[in-house]
Amino acid sequence: MDGRPSRTGPDPARIANLEDLARELGLLRSRAARGTRSAKVGLDDLVDRVGEPRSTVHAYLTGRRLAPSQVLDRIVIALGATPAEQREWAEAWDRVSAYRDAHRVSHAAPPVREAVLHQLPQSVDNFTGRAEQLAELDLLLSRRQTGVIAAVCGTAGAGKTALAVHWAQTRHQQFPDGQLYLDLRGFDPDQPVPPAQALARFLRALGVPVVNIPRELAECAAQYRSLLSGRRMLIMLDNARDAEQVRPLLPGAASCSVLVTSRDSLTGLIARHGGYRIDVPPLSSGEATALLRALVNPPVATSPTALNALADQCAGLPLALRIAAELAVSRGSRPLDELVDEFTTGRRRLDLLDAGDDPRTAIRAVFSWSYQLLPADAALAFRCLGLHPGPDLTPLTLAALTDSSVSETRRVLAALVRAHLVEQPAPDRYR
C-alpha cells in the first residue's frame, strides 16, 4: 500500500490506459448524478456542457479515443471535479498518453515498405503535342533545389491528366523513392475524396497499419509528412476540386514534388504555397489532326480535309478527339466525311460524343460537373454566353444579357475564367 486512502468513487490515480480512463469517467458521471433520478449524467447533458459533437464525446467516454487534454479538463469540470481533482485527472491524461505512444511504437509494423511505390496510372497511347508544357515542367524541376508544386490546370477534356501522367512516367528516374497517386474526384459523378480519407490511403500505401492511422486530420497530416521526410518522391493529386482539398496533402519534405491537376486555377495553392501554374489549352489544329490520324489509321479511309474538319469540330480537346476517333473506327469502311456531316448538324455533336453513355467520358457529362459547381450568377452568365452570336463578347455585352452591372459582370467572368469555362483571348474580350 502507498499510504493513500482508498476511494469507492472515481480515483484518477488508478488510471494507466484508456480502459482505466473510461472506467473512472463512468464513476465520475455516477458521482455527479447523485441526488438526481439518474444513475449517471447522461451523454446528451454532458455534450451540452462540454461543447463537442455527441459522437466525439461518446468515443472519449467509452475509451475508443483519448480526448485532448483540454477537452478532458472540460469534461471533468462539467462533472464536478474539484481543482485538486482536476490536477489528478491531468496527470492521469499524461500517463494514458505515454502508454498509448509506447503501445504504438511496440506494436507498429515498419513504417515504410521496402518496395518502391509506383502508383501512377498507365500513360495514354499516341500522346501528342504538349512540348511547351513538358518543357516547363522539366524547367521547374531542374532549377529548384527543393521540391516543386506544379498545378496543371485547364478545361474539361483538355488532357491535363494525360499530360501529367506522361511527364511523370517518363521522368520517374527523378523520383527514386517512388510516386504516390490519387484521383481526388473533384469533378466527378462521385463525391470528392475528403483530405482525411486521402491521407489514410497514402499512409496505408506507405506501410502504416490501419490501427495506427490517427483519426484526426492534423495528426494524419503530421504522420504523412514525417514518413515523406528525406525521401525523393512525387505525389500526384489528380482531379482536385480546389486548394482546400489539396493543402493537407502537401508534404513537408523539400525533397518531394507535387503534381496537381484541376479544372480550377488553384490560385490559393499558387499564392500561399509557392506553386506554379501550367495552363493546358486545347491542342493546336495541327496537333489535333495528327492525333486523329494516329488514332483512326489504317482502319478508316481518311482525307486531309475530313481529318481537319473533324478536328475542328472537336475544338482541339483530346478527350473529344479520342471519342470521335473511336466512333470513326467503329463504323468500319464508311467514309469519314459522313461523320463530319453528322458533327456539323446542331446539337448532334454532343450526342455523338456520348462515349457509349460512359458518365466519366461523355463530353456533355464531363462538362456538366464544372457547370454544376458554379454559383448561380456565374451559371446564369455562362448560359447567356450561348445567346451571343459572335465568337466573343465584352463585359458590357454580357452585362446587358444578364441585366447586371458591368463591375458585377467582370467579377462573374473572372470566376468563369478561373473555372476554365471561359477564355480571355484579349483585354475585355471573352469567349
Side-chain angles (χ1 to χ4, degrees):
M1 300 292 291
D2 59 3
R4 182 188 181 96
S6 62
R7 296 181 184 178
T8 57
D11 184 359
R14 295 192 292 244
I15 297 174
N17 52 42
L18 276 173
E19 183 180 354
D20 296 341
L21 180 62
R23 181 192 66 238
E24 297 301 323
L25 281 174
L27 293 173
L28 186 61
R29 291 172 67 190
S30 298
R31 190 185 75 178
R34 288 175 186 169
T36 70
R37 295 182 179 180
S38 301
K40 59 184 176 181
V41 174
L43 177 59
D44 291 332
D45 188 14
L46 188 57
V47 166
D48 291 338
R49 301 185 198 179
V50 175
E52 294 287 331
R54 190 178 191 278
S55 59
T56 302
V57 175
H58 182 263
Y60 296 155
L61 295 177
T62 56
R64 289 195 294 112
R65 294 166 58 188
L66 176 61
S69 58
Q70 66 272 21
V71 177
L72 181 62
D73 289 341
R74 296 206 302 270
I75 291 174
V76 299
I77 290 171
L79 293 174
T82 66
E85 288 174 331
Q86 293 169 31
R87 289 191 293 272
E88 293 181 347
W89 282 99
E91 293 171 358
W93 185 92
D94 290 336
R95 292 193 299 274
V96 175
S97 178
Y99 178 90
R100 180 194 61 178
D101 293 344
H103 185 77
R104 281 180 176 173
V105 171
S106 62
H107 289 80
V112 181
R113 294 171 182 165
E114 293 184 2
V116 175
L117 294 167
H118 296 288
Q119 293 190 335
L120 295 173
Q122 184 177 0
S123 184
V124 296
D125 291 335
N126 296 302
F127 181 84
T128 302
R130 306 306 188 197
E132 180 181 342
Q133 289 77 23
L134 293 171
E136 194 171 355
L137 283 167
D138 285 338
L139 181 61
L140 285 177
L141 195 65
S142 66
R143 74 183 185 187
R144 291 287 300 273
Q145 298 299 316
T146 58
V148 173
I149 300 175
V152 177
C153 303
T155 192
K160 301 177 295 295
T161 298
L163 166 65
V165 170
H166 178 81
W167 180 83
Q169 288 281 23
T170 54
R171 275 73 170 177
H172 66 87
Q173 69 276 5
Q174 301 290 332
F175 309 102
D177 293 316
Q179 308 94 35
L180 293 171
Y181 171 88
L182 185 60
D183 180 0
L184 294 175
R185 300 201 304 260
F187 298 85
D188 194 88
D190 298 326
Q191 290 297 311
V193 179
Q197 188 180 119
L199 283 169
R201 293 185 187 181
F202 280 156
L203 289 173
R204 290 197 299 271
L206 290 166
V208 178
V210 174
V211 295
N212 290 335
I213 295 177
R215 296 174 183 266
E216 300 293 338
L217 175 62
E219 292 183 18
C220 266
Q223 187 176 34
Y224 167 72
R225 292 192 296 269
S226 296
L227 290 174
L228 294 180
S229 179
R231 298 180 179 277
R232 291 179 60 192
M233 296 188 72
L234 175 69
I235 296 90
M236 181 172 169
L237 306 172
D238 194 16
N239 195 14
R241 172 169 288 192
D242 51 33
E244 284 301 312
Q245 189 185 24
V246 171
R247 191 167 284 123
L249 309 179
L250 299 177
S255 55
C256 292
S257 292
V258 180
L259 191 56
V260 188
T261 70
S262 180
R263 301 183 196 181
D264 187 78
S265 294
L266 300 177
T267 303
L269 192 70
I270 308 303
R272 183 172 177 181
H273 298 281
Y276 296 83
R277 183 185 301 111
I278 297 176
D279 288 316
V280 182
L283 293 173
S284 68
S285 178
E287 291 171 338
T289 302
L291 177 57
L292 269 180
R293 183 181 295 109
L295 293 171
V296 302
N297 282 332
V300 179
T302 61
S303 68
T305 302
L307 280 173
N308 289 335
L310 187 56
D312 289 342
Q313 288 297 315
C314 293
L317 297 176
L319 178 60
L321 290 163
R322 290 179 178 276
I323 297 173
E326 172 58 26
L327 184 59
V329 171
S330 69
R331 294 184 169 205
S333 59
R334 293 173 61 181
L336 192 62
D337 293 341
E338 290 185 11
L339 181 59
V340 174
D341 290 340
E342 292 183 54
F343 264 77
T344 57
T345 56
R347 296 187 178 183
R348 178 65 174 153
R349 175 164 47 169
L350 287 179
D351 294 333
L352 289 167
L353 295 173
D354 68 355
D357 291 326
D358 179 353
R360 285 181 167 81
T361 307
I363 290 295
R364 180 183 277 114
V366 166
F367 271 92
S368 73
W369 306 327
S370 293
Y371 173 78
Q372 290 166 12
L373 292 176
L374 292 175
D377 54 356
L380 171 63
F382 186 70
R383 294 195 301 272
C384 289
L385 284 168
L387 301 175
H388 184 66
D392 57 20
L393 48 65
T394 66
L396 181 62
T397 303
L398 185 59
L401 288 171
T402 59
D403 193 23
S404 303
S405 67
V406 175
S407 61
E408 182 66 15
T409 300
R410 290 185 187 278
R411 182 190 64 79
V412 169
L413 281 167
L416 290 172
V417 170
R418 287 195 300 272
H420 290 94
L421 287 170
V422 166
E423 293 179 333
Q424 187 178 7
D428 263 4
R429 306 298 302 186
Y430 296 86
R431 64 187 181 194

